[in-house]
Amino acid sequence: MNHALQMLCRLLDLLIARGLLLGLVVWLFSVPSFAANPAKPASPSGSPQEVLQSSVKNWVAQSRKVSADEVLLAPLDARVKVLACDKPLAMDVPFSSAETVRVRCARPAWQQFVRVSVASKAPAIQAQAKVDTPPESAKRWVLVASVPLQRGMVLNETHVQRAQVDASVMPVNVLEQTTEVLHAEVVRDVRPGVPLRSQDIRPTVLVKRGQMVLMSVGQPQGFQISARVEAMQDGRFGEQIKLKNRDSGRELSGRVQGPNQVMGL
């Protein structure tokens, strides 16, 4: 009797063990494998320049009802650094030609001009250009305001940028190089994207009468001496002004080179 009871217990233990093992196998095959699930695609990434180019392509494709693959972009000016934008880029066509797209960022504030063309419409555009528009050679790289410029603002390289503009609608005396606005101030308000003319700016006052300025004599790459002298009059960049050595009382002359800096004559 005891032996029969022992055999029955062993049989029950065996069935329970097999049942648990079978349940474990069924559970493993019923739960979806983590490896089988497709990985989520990574968020799109790219440099600020790549984001700008992609945004322009999509905007032009949507506005002209074409495929983004048909939109061609001219290379950006390598001297202009594209900054990352915290807000969605805004785009429009500020000039008469639809080939120039203006891209603007609200934060940080900047704008960039991009030359575009549509491959499927290139023949038609070229045919019309022969009759109605000036040739490509009539376009020039000029200096335009990159931000709103207000009268009295002292300019630096961040306030302007170079853009290609149709020569037929270009005003006279247009500036072309960033160096032309250094140490200059605006004499009238200028809207962003508008070409800068020589009459829109003037040299800013870098030295004021009564101030102590640094006067240098000699060659910058060779022997040079410097001394502190008093400015006897206001001076703009490049102007010749009178100076005075307070210790000796001697009057001197110098040419304004920068803020409170003159080169002795």
Side-chain angles (χ1 to χ4, degrees), residues 127-150:
Q128 184 180 3
K130 295 179 181 179
V131 179
D132 301 329
T133 61
E136 185 68 23
S137 59
K139 297 182 181 295
R140 286 173 50 194
W141 285 97
V142 300
L143 214 59
V144 301
S146 59
V147 297
L149 303 181
Q150 298 179 346

Side-chain angles (χ1 to χ4, degrees), residues 26-42:
V26 171
W27 179 81
L28 289 175
F29 280 96
S30 63
V31 176
S33 173
F34 290 105
N37 290 336
K40 294 182 179 180

